[in-house]
Amino acid sequence: MTYGPLLSDIESAAESLKPHIGHTPLEFSQHLSDLLGSRVMLKMENLQRTGSFKVRGATYRLSRLSEEERSHGVVAASAGNHAQGVALAARELGIPATIFMPLGVPVPKLLSTRGYGAEVVLEGETVETPLRLAKEFAERTGAIFIPPYDHRDVIVGQGTLGLEIMEDAPDVETVIMGIGGGGLIAGVAAAIKEKAAAEGRTVRIIGVQAENAAPFPVSLEAGAPVEVVTKPTIADGIYVARPGDVPFEIIRELVDEVVTVSDDDIARAIVALLERAKVVVEPAGAVGVAAIMAGKVQAAGTAVVILSGGNIDPMLLQRVVAHGLAASGRYMTIRIPLPDRPGQLSRVSEIVSQAGANVVEVQHTRHGQGLQISQVSLQISVETRGEEHKELTLRALRDGGFAPVVINE
């Protein structure tokens, strides 16, 4: 292996991390197994301390600091999981920590980071400003800057997750996980590929990116890290414009395939994990499941999907679930212009009921929206059983003389 960490380094890291992290469970998923056509196991890293794999790399990196370096403290910039990982690691190892976070950081992540004892500085609309300020803080004070993925120690620490997979699923043939900057997949690929090679076999490693922030496919084709123009995505945990230099070299050598998924795919995956596996997973942690559900990956034998994190703001979860249900054809909001006379709302309700759908919200107005004086507008939110039932309900309304318009929220 040219670039990757040695297996012995990752095994040594695993021993040093035992007092600080949990060995997260591996759970069988019948639903995903049926979809993929082979056995699927879920690596529940969403149940890790701080709710994410990030604490592995952060703790190992901090544990490698000298006493002199520790005396100056550490500093990091993050909108969430890396911040919490560094904060907890610093508390466990008795190192002062300062974390720069953007102003719009989700409240649960902010409170958790402060709860672990870090000093938090809120500044900037995006993570670029905290990143610049953290590096300036390091230069000014001598604090050690802890990058989220672009450092060998961080990658080695994340690789300990791969050892757990090989221990708990020795027959694994495919491992699927999300990619942001590349630290997790680089470490896991290094651990699993070398471990499997020592046993005389191979394991496929598949990475998944959000299609709105996917620099790896372009970079791998170019043979070097390329910065891409990104668009907003719900998968903020893997929202990067450029791969990390250190993990990229490992990924280029060891990762077999990188695919992308849409936000709709991710939302559907989060809903499926809630309903089928009874687990809460953040968008970045659900992309591997999204890839299976969207038919983006193939596998034979046992496949392991890493649920890399579970830190999702409850308000975002509410919106994502609604979006996921809509994307699955199980929830829709429709607007219907009606003549302003008695009985129209009753007729609409009766048709929806006879179609077997359930009205969960109603708005009725005479104002705005380009209405004629003799018209009103009815907006209803309806629960359905899927795309086929959704179309049946819309067709029943049209057959009843109405003109429903689906509102894409």
Side-chain angles (χ1 to χ4, degrees), residues 30 38 51 99 108 110 129-130 132 137 156 164 170 183 204 256-257 274 276 279 317 331 334 341 346 370 386 388 396:
Q30 184 65 61
S38 62
I99 310 292
L110 170 63
T129 299
R132 174 178 57 79
F137 181 88
V156 168
E164 292 182 13
R204 292 183 70 235
D256 297 279
E257 184 181 4
L274 282 168
R276 302 285 186 148
V279 296
L317 178 60
Y331 181 90
I334 53 181
R341 58 174 182 262
S346 175
E388 186 176 344

Side-chain angles (χ1 to χ4, degrees), residues 39 41 165-166 168-174 201 203 300-303:
R39 187 167 180 257
M41 306 291 292
I165 291 173
M166 293 296 283
D168 296 341
D171 63 338
V172 63
E173 294 187 31
T174 304
R201 64 191 188 92
V203 176
T302 297

